[in-house]
Amino acid sequence: MGLKIYSSILDICKGVMEPIEKAFAKIPSEGVCGVVLCGTSDTTEYHLLLSKIKSAIYASIGKKVPVTLIPQHLLPIGGVAMEVYALDGEANFQIKEQDGLCYGIVEGSDEKMLFVEGIPASDFSASVHKQNQEVFAKLDALLSAYGFEVGDIVRQWNYIGNIVSYRDGKQNYQEFNDARSAYYAKSEWRNGYPAATGIGSTEGIIVGGIAFKKANGAGVYPIDNPLQVAAHVYSKKVLIDDDENAVKSTPKFERAKLIKTAGGVYCFVSGTAAIRGEESVDPNSAELQTVKTIENIEYLVSKENLVRFGCKPYELKYAFLHVFIKHAEDHAAVKAVVERACPQVPTIYSVADVCRSELLVEIEGILTL
């Protein structure tokens, strides 16, 4: 199941249909298994905008596909970035729906993969706890319906409105981590936790991801980084809560997850920041944090480190990057560092709060052979 990624920038100031039609005129619609858009409209409520975008995409390609809308401002400010994920023509790909949500399933002789569109809470004004419960219940229902377990998730995207803000004395990100840990307790995670991004957004809780399973559990590799403490074993001192005596769950993810499918090798790099050990570094410089973040990623996906975690010494190449920047005014400096290190790699830049107040940049990516 070979996977290709296409990207384009849309101007939706005067509507969504025309720019989406123009974008898909340049992209083969065959094999499209998912579409991710990043951007917001200050004049359109999220759920309404998502509905309009979905309708335009369905009309443009003549079928339903999983669609995720990330409510963040694109950099430079304005427009919407669109990523299109497409499988090769040999893949047995089916689109399914459940409770108004769209999912894609790819099945081979001894493996299958599930693409889960971003599941938004139905009411972004509800408590973070209530939103978490709703979203994870929907995720669990669709995994179960198609023969997957929570432990089969290999990549998860978590968008958390006002991530470092507090409600009722509890930080939104910490409350999300507590809910995720409770949900993940259903699995033994024999192949490690998913690669994941937990990043701020303008509003609401939205969770999407990819699940993958192969006969005998083969082909799935959790990749850690010796330069960083694994997030799921962080000490209590770096977890945030007003109550020092609170039981605080760690973020349950691996630094990367590599999967070997019949169609290729894919390495999902989690949201990565300027953390060494478990401490943030260079807190006053987005530029220096970007340098450290890229160093973290480069070592994480190096041949030496892949072998350490049971993989072959693959020569991985960047297929796509998403760079989250806390302050829009740091865009030029951050972009310059990224482009020097990763020239000609399709990259989206957006404004987002990172999970620690002192972190100014976070980068996620996908690498292939």
Side-chain angles (χ1 to χ4, degrees):
M1 53 181 79
L3 184 66
K4 295 181 179 179
I5 304 171
Y6 303 89
S7 62
S8 59
I9 304 297
L10 311 178
D11 180 1
I12 65 167
C13 292
K14 297 181 179 179
V16 299
M17 191 68 210
E18 183 177 346
I20 286 175
E21 282 183 334
K22 287 182 177 179
F24 275 104
K26 302 175 183 178
I27 300 171
S29 59
E30 299 82 6
V32 172
C33 61
V35 181
V36 179
L37 301 101
C38 179
T40 58
S41 169
D42 291 327
T43 60
T44 307
E45 188 263 350
Y46 174 89
H47 292 86
L48 177 59
L49 179 60
L50 175 60
S51 177
K52 290 180 177 179
I53 286 173
K54 283 185 173 184
S55 295
I57 290 172
Y58 300 164
S60 294
I61 63 176
K63 63 181 180 182
K64 292 186 176 182
V65 293
V67 176
T68 297
L69 174 61
I70 307 169
Q72 296 171 345
H73 289 290
L74 192 66
L75 289 168
I77 295 294
V80 170
M82 183 171 75
E83 312 155 40
V84 178
Y85 295 80
L87 296 161
D88 60 37
E90 297 179 0
N92 178 16
F93 182 61
Q94 298 180 350
I95 299 293
K96 296 183 180 290
E97 279 190 285
Q98 182 170 302
D99 296 329
L101 297 168
C102 190
Y103 314 101
I105 296 180
V106 187
E107 292 192 75
S109 59
D110 68 340
E111 63 186 30
K112 62 180 180 177
M113 185 182 295
L114 178 69
F115 293 85
V116 182
E117 71 180 7
I119 304 172
S122 57
D123 180 4
F124 285 168
S125 67
S127 69
V128 174
H129 174 76
K130 185 175 181 179
Q131 291 186 60
N132 289 333
Q133 295 299 110
E134 177 193 357
V135 168
F136 281 122
K138 289 180 177 178
L139 175 61
D140 194 51
L142 80 95
L143 288 171
S144 299
Y146 303 122
F148 290 88
E149 300 175 1
V150 60
D152 294 321
I153 300 173
V154 293
R155 183 60 167 105
Q156 188 169 313
W157 287 270
N158 311 294
Y159 305 105
I160 302 156
N162 304 305
I163 188 170
V164 293
S165 297
Y166 287 77
R167 279 197 192 185
D168 301 322
K170 190 147 190 169
Q171 188 202 49
N172 291 342
Y173 183 52
Q174 186 58 55
E175 182 138 6
F176 177 83
N177 284 330
D178 292 346
R180 172 168 54 179
S181 292
Y183 175 52
Y184 279 10
K186 297 175 63 172
S187 173
E188 295 181 5
W189 295 98
R190 294 184 179 88
N191 288 319
Y193 293 113
T197 300
I199 196 73
S201 64
T202 57
E203 53 186 342
I205 302 294
I206 303 163
V207 173
I210 299 172
F212 175 77
K213 66 191 308 180
K214 202 175 178 82
N216 301 318
V220 180
Y221 302 88
I223 311 296
D224 214 333
N225 191 340
L227 299 178
Q228 300 179 290
V229 172
H232 51 84
V233 294
Y234 277 161
S235 68
K236 188 176 180 179
K237 69 177 182 178
V238 296
L239 305 177
I240 303 297
D241 196 289
D242 275 0
D243 181 359
E244 292 184 359
N245 297 315
V247 177
K248 297 177 281 190
S249 298
T250 55
K252 300 296 192 294
F253 68 91
E254 308 293 346
R255 298 298 179 186
K257 204 71 173 278
L258 185 144
I259 62 172
K260 185 178 180 181
T261 76
V265 171
Y266 305 98
C267 183
F268 300 105
V269 173
S270 298
T272 304
I275 296 173
R276 295 293 169 87
E278 63 176 8
E279 303 291 340
S280 305
V281 297
D282 298 317
N284 300 312
S285 173
E287 182 177 10
L288 291 178
Q289 284 195 3
T290 306
V291 171
K292 289 290 190 349
T293 299
I294 291 174
E295 288 175 357
N296 284 341
I297 293 173
E298 291 288 341
Y299 188 75
L300 177 69
V301 300
S302 67
K303 291 181 180 180
E304 172 190 353
N305 199 50
L306 292 178
V307 170
R308 179 180 286 112
F309 290 96
C311 300
K312 293 181 179 179
Y314 295 119
E315 186 77 47
L316 295 175
K317 299 179 177 63
Y318 292 102
F320 175 78
L321 292 171
H322 191 152
V323 181
F324 307 97
I325 304 173
K326 183 171 184 176
H327 302 299
E329 58 267 29
D330 290 327
H331 177 218
V334 171
K335 185 177 180 181
V337 174
V338 174
E339 290 187 340
R340 283 198 301 270
C342 308
Q344 299 183 330
V345 175
T347 304
I348 289 174
Y349 299 85
S350 61
V351 178
D353 274 332
V354 187
C355 62
R356 298 184 188 180
S357 59
E358 72 275 11
L359 290 175
L360 307 175
V361 179
E362 184 166 315
I363 301 174
E364 66 175 29
I366 299 174
L367 292 91
T368 62
L369 294 179

